[in-house]
Amino acid sequence: MTSLQDLFSLQGRCALVTGGSSGLGAEMATALANAGARVLLVARRPDALEKVKARIERDGGVAETIAADISTDDGLAQVVSRARALGQHVDILINAAGINPRKPALELTREEWDATLHLNLSVPFFLARELVEPMMEAGWGRIINIGSLQSVRAFPDSAPYGASKGGVVQLTRAMAEAWSARGVCCNAIAPGLFPTELTQALYKNSEAVAQMATKTCCGRNGELSDAWGLAVFLASPASAFITGQTIYLDGGLTAK
């Protein structure tokens, strides 16, 4: 009989986390490493990646860094090639990289729209497609996409971001339909307000941040450590019968 400890253990697993140099990506990578996974941190900035790696290693975890721009075909190919060269196939993929140009809809350029939809929606699909076959061959895998409150609600000055995050919810369902019969569970985490690089501009407005807290059932906004439990759960054997779902990590904001 499987023990409760085994259900949440990631010993022997390999996790690749995009956007792993900061914010929720770095936090979820750290959580997975603490649960026993070997973590491959992917982002553009080598120095920031090394800081997250050092943090993980201080806690006794194992991490490697892959500095690449996954918004380009060459960068995506570089990540896949490097991951394979490390000699252990990826069991867990967290697609945490993303951008939000934050401009009024009438001021957005076509380039900004395309770049946002590409990185937030297209890249998670194409990266997952590159990595999923070994998961299916092994009969076990986990893909975790990152949605948003904007998956279901409209926010000012965020049209392409909201469109991309709405798409992530449906993409997650499509991934589950395509791959879960062969053991690959595909789910999404939709965070509420957390202090990350994408929300830096908002956090400069203390009144707006406080107002967001009042909209939650918990009466506060998210802390980065709030992502640990859900990330480990969705990456672990404990979530074996959960797929195609988007779970809102928002303190109950979408419940009100």
Side-chain angles (χ1 to χ4, degrees):
M1 182 177 178
T2 302
S3 70
L4 191 60
Q5 184 175 0
D6 289 340
L7 275 178
F8 292 92
S9 173
L10 299 178
Q11 289 292 335
R13 300 297 183 187
C14 178
L16 189 150
V17 182
T18 72
S21 63
S22 66
L24 289 172
E27 287 298 318
M28 290 187 282
T30 303
L32 269 53
N34 272 267
R38 178 191 188 188
V39 177
L40 310 182
L41 301 163
V42 177
R44 292 175 300 169
R45 298 171 296 175
D47 291 347
L49 285 171
E50 289 300 326
K51 289 179 182 178
V52 179
K53 177 183 177 182
R55 172 187 171 188
I56 288 171
E57 291 177 339
R58 280 196 302 268
D59 292 340
V62 178
E64 305 282 350
T65 64
I66 305 174
D69 182 358
I70 59 171
S71 69
T72 69
D73 290 344
D74 287 346
L76 201 63
Q78 179 185 341
V79 168
V80 173
S81 176
R82 175 63 177 151
R84 289 172 179 165
L86 290 171
Q88 180 181 2
H89 86 256
V90 173
D91 303 288
I92 302 157
L93 169 63
I94 298 184
N95 286 306
I99 55 173
N100 183 355
R102 293 188 184 278
K103 290 177 69 174
L106 292 177
E107 297 178 13
L108 278 166
T109 67
R110 178 63 180 266
E111 290 74 20
E112 289 167 334
W113 175 274
D114 289 346
T116 306
L117 270 290
H118 178 67
L119 181 58
N120 294 2
L121 184 58
S122 299
V123 168
F125 170 70
F126 287 107
L127 181 55
R129 195 174 68 172
E130 288 291 331
L131 299 175
V132 75
E133 287 192 34
M135 297 182 194
M136 292 192 292
E137 290 170 4
W140 199 98
R142 298 289 186 268
I143 296 173
I144 302 171
N145 297 320
I146 304 301
S148 167
L149 293 177
Q150 295 192 58
S151 295
V152 291
R153 293 189 175 186
F155 280 56
D157 301 337
S158 294
Y161 184 80
S164 68
K165 293 303 182 178
V168 164
V169 172
Q170 185 55 33
L171 174 63
T172 301
R173 295 188 186 110
M175 287 177 166
E177 190 281 329
W179 301 327
S180 293
R182 295 186 61 184
V184 182
C185 295
C186 307
N187 293 290
I189 296 172
L193 183 59
F194 282 79
T196 69
E197 289 188 5
L198 284 184
T199 61
Q200 278 181 346
L202 180 58
Y203 267 83
K204 292 177 181 177
N205 184 338
S206 58
E207 183 178 342
V209 171
Q211 186 178 29
M212 283 290 289
T214 66
K215 295 180 180 180
T216 71
C217 295
C218 293
R220 67 175 178 87
N221 295 312
E223 300 172 1
L224 291 175
S225 59
D226 289 325
W228 281 46
L230 184 54
V232 171
F233 170 62
L234 291 178
S236 73
S239 61
F241 199 54
I242 299 175
T243 195
Q245 305 305 306
T246 297
I247 300 176
Y248 287 84
L249 185 66
D250 65 357
L253 190 150
T254 50
K256 291 183 73 173

